[in-house]
Amino acid sequence: MGADAVDGRVTVAIVEDEPIVVDGLRMWIKEYPSYDIELVAATASIESLLAGPGADADVLLLDLALHRERVVDRVHELCADGRRVIAFSVHSDPPVVRAVLDAGAAAFLAKSEGGEDCLRVIRDVAEGRPCVTPSMAEAMADGKVVRLSRGEKEALLLWLQCMSKASVARRMGISEATVRQYIARARMKYAAVGRRASSKDAMLARAIEDGLIKAEDVREYRSYAAEPQEE
């Protein structure tokens, strides 16, 4: 998969069956060169993406309706392989947005959002920064219970059990940068519904409130854990 893009050019691949949308992305990249984004692949199917150079792009921009068929169920598969996926669709109703975020997508972009907004989200996702688009904010605010993806939930629970982020990464078989991204996204989701969790203790309180973890489970782990705590 693409390396963590902290400095330098960000590579993006798009899976989109409407050439005009691909042309629009190319135009935005040319219009806003300061974002330093390179389109390395544009395909009309997920299979074509996986077979070509776009498979290793830093970010994947995925249209959720390809050839008139929804591909929401493919998001988890792509994210499970370590890709940073941004769902990109005209269908931005809250259940759809929540479904792709639950599946592990790093962000959701409505096709009605502007070019600079699109490039900003691509850059943020590539660099591991949490971001909230208007569509995501609306979906998250539809109820106060935060919905975490599988990866976010697993990373959060292991980290709350006094494991360092490096240890969480080893346990999950992912990079430490991805663990940091999962935890940052969980914080972002809590903040979006007015339940800020800026510290580890605050995040633990939120997780207990939502029934994600029990306080006694954390105490039991602390009795034999030697991992340093992190904020």
Side-chain angles (χ1 to χ4, degrees):
M1 305 307 104
D4 296 316
V6 177
D7 296 302
R9 178 157 300 214
V10 168
T11 58
V12 61
I14 183 171
V15 181
E16 170 63 64
D17 59 356
E18 294 288 345
I20 192 171
V21 176
V22 178
D23 289 344
L25 181 59
R26 293 186 196 276
M27 180 187 68
W28 294 338
I29 290 172
K30 184 177 180 179
E31 185 175 354
Y32 300 102
S34 61
Y35 285 98
D36 203 10
I37 292 172
E38 178 185 3
L39 180 62
V40 295
T43 71
S45 72
I46 293 173
E47 286 67 31
S48 296
L49 169 90
L50 297 177
D56 294 320
D58 295 317
V59 177
L60 169 59
L61 197 60
L62 176 67
D63 183 8
L64 295 181
L66 298 171
H67 310 291
R68 298 184 180 180
E69 291 187 9
R70 293 284 188 97
V71 294
V72 174
D73 59 340
R74 302 291 301 273
V75 173
H76 174 68
E77 167 197 338
L78 294 167
C79 294
D81 286 339
R83 293 182 180 83
R84 294 184 173 100
V85 177
I86 299 174
F88 187 53
S89 180
V90 296
H91 304 288
S92 59
D93 50 302
V96 172
V97 177
R98 288 196 296 267
V100 295
L101 295 178
D102 288 348
F108 182 97
L109 268 170
K111 287 188 176 180
S112 59
E113 293 175 42
E116 187 172 13
D117 292 333
C118 176
L119 299 187
R120 184 183 301 111
V121 170
I122 290 172
R123 189 85 207 186
D124 284 348
V125 167
E127 296 179 352
R129 291 194 296 268
C131 57
V132 180
T133 66
S135 301
M136 292 169 64
E138 181 182 355
M140 292 176 191
D142 189 15
K144 292 294 184 181
V145 176
V146 170
R147 300 167 63 92
L148 302 178
S149 70
R150 296 179 192 177
E152 291 163 359
K153 184 182 293 185
E154 184 178 358
L156 185 61
L157 295 186
L158 290 173
W159 181 61
L160 290 175
Q161 290 176 323
C162 296
M163 294 181 70
S164 68
K165 294 184 178 75
S167 295
V168 174
R170 288 193 294 271
R171 176 74 66 86
M172 295 179 65
I174 58 179
S175 71
E176 188 174 346
T178 300
V179 172
R180 291 196 300 268
Q181 184 180 30
Y182 281 154
I183 294 170
R185 278 166 40 185
R187 281 189 167 132
M188 171 199 72
K189 289 180 178 181
Y190 276 107
V193 298
R195 301 171 64 201
R196 298 187 65 83
S198 55
S199 69
K200 189 170 187 177
D201 286 342
M203 182 66 80
L204 175 59
R206 298 306 186 201
I208 292 172
E209 288 171 2
D210 290 349
L212 297 176
I213 195 170
K214 296 180 180 179
E216 55 265 32
D217 293 338
V218 178
R219 286 198 295 270
E220 180 181 355
Y221 190 93
R222 284 176 176 162
S223 66
Y224 60 83
E227 299 283 357
Q229 293 195 43
E230 298 182 29
E231 292 299 326

Coordinates of all heavy atoms in Angstrom, one line a residue, residues 50 66 142 153 166 181 213:
L50 N -6.8 -2.9 -8.7 CA -5.9 -3.8 -7.9 C -4.9 -4.4 -8.8 O -3.8 -4.8 -8.3 CB -6.8 -4.9 -7.3 CG -7.8 -4.4 -6.2 CD1 -8.6 -5.6 -5.7 CD2 -7.1 -3.7 -5.1
L66 N -20.7 2.0 -9.3 CA -20.0 1.8 -10.5 C -20.8 0.9 -11.5 O -21.3 -0.1 -11.1 CB -18.7 1.0 -10.2 CG -17.7 1.7 -9.3 CD1 -16.5 0.8 -8.9 CD2 -17.1 3.0 -10.1
D142 N -26.3 12.7 13.5 CA -27.6 12.0 13.5 C -27.7 11.0 14.7 O -27.6 9.8 14.4 CB -27.9 11.4 12.2 CG -29.3 10.9 12.0 OD1 -30.2 11.3 12.9 OD2 -29.6 10.1 11.1
K153 N -12.2 0.5 16.4 CA -12.6 0.0 17.7 C -11.5 -0.9 18.3 O -11.2 -0.8 19.5 CB -13.9 -0.8 17.5 CG -14.5 -1.4 18.8 CD -15.7 -2.2 18.6 CE -16.9 -1.3 18.1 NZ -18.2 -2.1 18.0
A166 N 2.7 1.4 19.6 CA 3.6 0.5 18.9 C 3.2 -0.9 19.2 O 3.2 -1.8 18.3 CB 5.1 0.7 19.4
Q181 N -3.8 7.0 13.3 CA -4.9 7.5 12.5 C -6.2 7.0 13.0 O -7.2 7.7 13.1 CB -4.7 7.1 11.0 CG -5.8 7.6 10.1 CD -5.6 7.2 8.7 OE1 -5.0 6.2 8.4 NE2 -6.0 8.1 7.7
I213 N -16.2 -0.8 26.3 CA -15.3 -1.5 27.3 C -15.8 -1.3 28.7 O -16.5 -0.4 29.0 CB -13.9 -0.8 27.1 CG1 -12.8 -1.7 27.7 CG2 -13.8 0.6 27.6 CD1 -11.4 -1.2 27.4

